[in-house]
Amino acid sequence: MSSCPFCDIAANYPPSTSFESDHERVSPPAFVVLSTPLCMAFLDIMPLSPGHLLVTTRKHHGKISDVTEEEARELGAWLPRLSRVLANVTGVWDWNIVQNNGAAAAQVVPHVHFHIIPRPSLTPELRNKSFTMFGRGQRSERDDSEAAALARSLREELAGEMERIPNREKL
């Protein structure tokens, strides 16, 4: 087992176009939505909101300045696609994309990654919940059964999204 949890996920979820996932391959469970030769996306273990998704490189890099040009292009291509997929599945059309570099910048896992964080409307129940970022904010424990269902819905929507993209734009 690697000391990097994202590297563990990458080692246990090889690149696949089937968009299927067995979340029990690692501990704690990983709910993988995307697994390509260069990038991965999976649900955050301590989400700021339902659907909080992490997009990362398969290969270990500490910071965004360490990724290759090819990895950077692929990350850039997946972020808008996954944002659309997440919005379609959650029904939340406002979100943040955040990327932290280094401990002083609130990077908790030292493996480059982007957060796609849905921002639901502030209902009376949510008014007291903090949605701040950069290492601060109220995070909640992920419910594994809800995460499994959400990840399955995200994979299904992603498969549909990929069919809608002309061949010349697919990675």
Side-chain angles (χ1 to χ4, degrees), residues 46-49 52 117 119 125-133 135-141:
M46 293 289 292
L48 283 166
S49 64
H52 183 164
I117 308 166
R119 295 301 186 176
E125 346 29 281
L126 292 177
R127 289 208 190 283
N128 293 328
K129 185 174 180 179
S130 171
F131 279 115
T132 58
M133 295 179 292
R136 292 162 184 73
Q138 187 172 343
R139 297 173 79 109
S140 54
E141 292 283 334

Side-chain angles (χ1 to χ4, degrees), residues 43-44 47-54 82-83 85-98 115-122 126 129-131 133 150 154:
L43 294 174
D44 194 299
L48 283 166
S49 64
H52 183 164
L53 196 61
L54 302 179
L82 290 165
S83 294
V85 164
L86 192 57
N88 282 331
V89 170
T90 64
V92 177
W93 288 89
D94 295 320
W95 64 89
N96 295 104
I97 296 178
V98 180
H115 298 257
I116 305 176
I117 308 166
R119 295 301 186 176
S121 298
L122 288 179
L126 292 177
K129 185 174 180 179
S130 171
F131 279 115
M133 295 179 292
L150 178 57
L154 291 167

Side-chain angles (χ1 to χ4, degrees), residues 7-26:
C7 288
D8 282 342
I9 293 170
N12 284 282
Y13 292 89
S16 173
T17 56
S18 70
F19 297 104
E20 291 300 321
S21 175
D22 171 13
H23 60 270
E24 300 290 336
R25 293 183 193 174
V26 293

